[in-house]
Amino acid sequence: MKCIWIDNKIFNVGSLMAIKSAWAQHERLEHFVVDLLNNLINEHDYGRALYLLFLYSLLLSLSFDITLVIISPWITDICYYHVYNPLFEILDIDKGFSLSKILNIVAQNGAKVYVITSQFRGERKDMRMSREEFLSKLSQSVKIIYSKNEIHQKIYGIRKKFFLTGSLNLTFTGILRGYSGGEFLQLTMSNKNIEVMLEELIDIKG
C-alpha cells in the first residue's frame, strides 16, 4: 500500500477543520473546505484534495446523516500519513488513515457509504487484484455495487453537497499522473443531473 505524506500546511488545515466542526461551525466549514479544494485542484494536488474530502466526510458523519459516494473502475487502498495530532485521536486517525479505514469509520458513524466499481474486459491482472484487495478490507456497513456494465465515471463526493469528478482513477498511479497533467479532477457542486445519475447507479432515494 503506497502512502501520501500530508505536509504541515494541509495538516494544519485539517486541525482547523476539526476545531470548526467541534464548535458546530458547519456552514462556515463547508465554504472553507470548498475554497481549499479549489486551490488544491488548481495546483493539480489531487491526492491532498481527496484527503480533505475524506476528512470532511468523517467530520460531517459525526453530526449528520450523509451519503459518501466513491465511483471508480480501478481503486487501490491509498494511505495518508502525517505527524501525530491529538485532535484526530478521538477520530481514530491520529497518525493518518488508509482509504479503506476512513470509509469504514464513516460508515461506522452511521453514514451511507457506497463504492461503485466494475471490471473491464482485458484489464491488467495487477489492477484487478488491487481493486479486489481494497474491496476485501471494507466492512459490511459499506455498500459495494459491482456493476455488470463497465463503469467509466470517476466521481468522489458527498451527495447534496459537492463532488470531485474527472478522469482520475482512485489509485496512487492516477494521483501521480495528475501532478504531471496526465489526469484531472474538477470540483462540481451537487446538481439535479449528477443526483439523477447517482440514483440510477444506486437504489436510494433522497
Side-chain angles (χ1 to χ4, degrees):
M1 182 165 51
K2 297 182 178 180
C3 296
I4 296 173
W5 168 250
I6 299 303
D7 56 22
N8 287 336
K9 177 183 176 182
I10 301 302
F11 176 76
N12 291 335
V13 163
S15 299
L16 183 57
M17 287 168 59
I19 292 171
K20 285 179 179 290
S21 178
W23 284 94
Q25 298 176 339
H26 298 293
E27 185 174 348
R28 292 175 61 184
L29 176 58
E30 181 170 344
H31 292 304
F32 180 65
V33 170
V34 167
D35 287 343
L36 285 169
L37 286 172
N38 275 317
N39 290 337
L40 289 168
I41 288 170
N42 288 337
E43 296 170 359
H44 295 180
D45 196 349
Y46 303 131
R48 291 178 178 84
L50 288 162
Y51 169 84
L52 287 183
L53 167 64
F54 298 136
L55 178 58
Y56 182 53
S57 300
L58 173 56
L59 293 172
L60 283 181
S61 71
L62 297 173
S63 305
F64 300 99
D65 181 17
I66 66 167
T67 300
L68 176 62
V69 178
I70 304 294
I71 304 177
S72 179
W74 294 303
I75 311 175
T76 56
D77 199 12
I78 305 162
C79 76
Y80 295 92
Y81 69 101
H82 45 62
V83 297
Y84 171 75
N85 186 345
L87 284 171
F88 291 168
E89 187 170 1
I90 194 172
L91 304 175
D92 196 25
I93 57 166
D94 52 330
K95 294 182 180 179
F97 56 81
S98 65
L99 175 58
S100 60
K101 179 178 181 178
I102 199 72
L103 297 184
N104 287 339
I105 295 174
V106 172
Q108 179 182 311
N109 288 342
K112 300 180 183 70
V113 179
Y114 291 87
V115 175
I116 303 172
T117 188
S118 69
Q119 291 189 10
F120 270 68
R121 185 178 302 173
E123 68 181 4
R124 294 199 330 246
K125 182 179 179 180
D126 61 326
M127 300 180 77
R128 176 175 56 81
M129 292 180 63
S130 293
R131 179 181 58 234
E132 299 303 323
E133 180 184 6
F134 162 74
L135 294 176
S136 71
K137 296 178 181 178
L138 298 177
S139 71
Q140 293 183 348
S141 299
V142 177
K143 176 66 174 177
I144 300 170
I145 299 177
Y146 225 134
S147 176
K148 295 180 180 179
N149 301 317
E150 293 183 352
I151 295 289
H152 294 271
Q153 299 97 328
K154 290 87 175 179
I155 303 173
Y156 320 109
I158 305 167
R159 290 197 71 184
K160 300 183 179 179
K161 288 192 176 294
F162 56 78
F163 303 90
L164 301 179
T165 64
S167 66
L168 188 146
N169 285 291
L170 197 48
T171 64
F172 190 79
T173 300
I175 290 170
L176 288 183
R177 283 174 51 82
Y179 285 114
S180 61
E183 305 288 355
F184 79 96
L185 285 176
Q186 61 186 7
L187 182 64
T188 303
M189 303 307 293
S190 179
N191 57 66
K192 182 178 180 180
N193 289 337
I194 198 167
E195 293 291 347
V196 168
M197 185 201 70
L198 289 176
E199 289 196 1
E200 291 176 351
L201 290 172
I202 53 182
D203 186 23
I204 58 175
K205 302 293 181 183

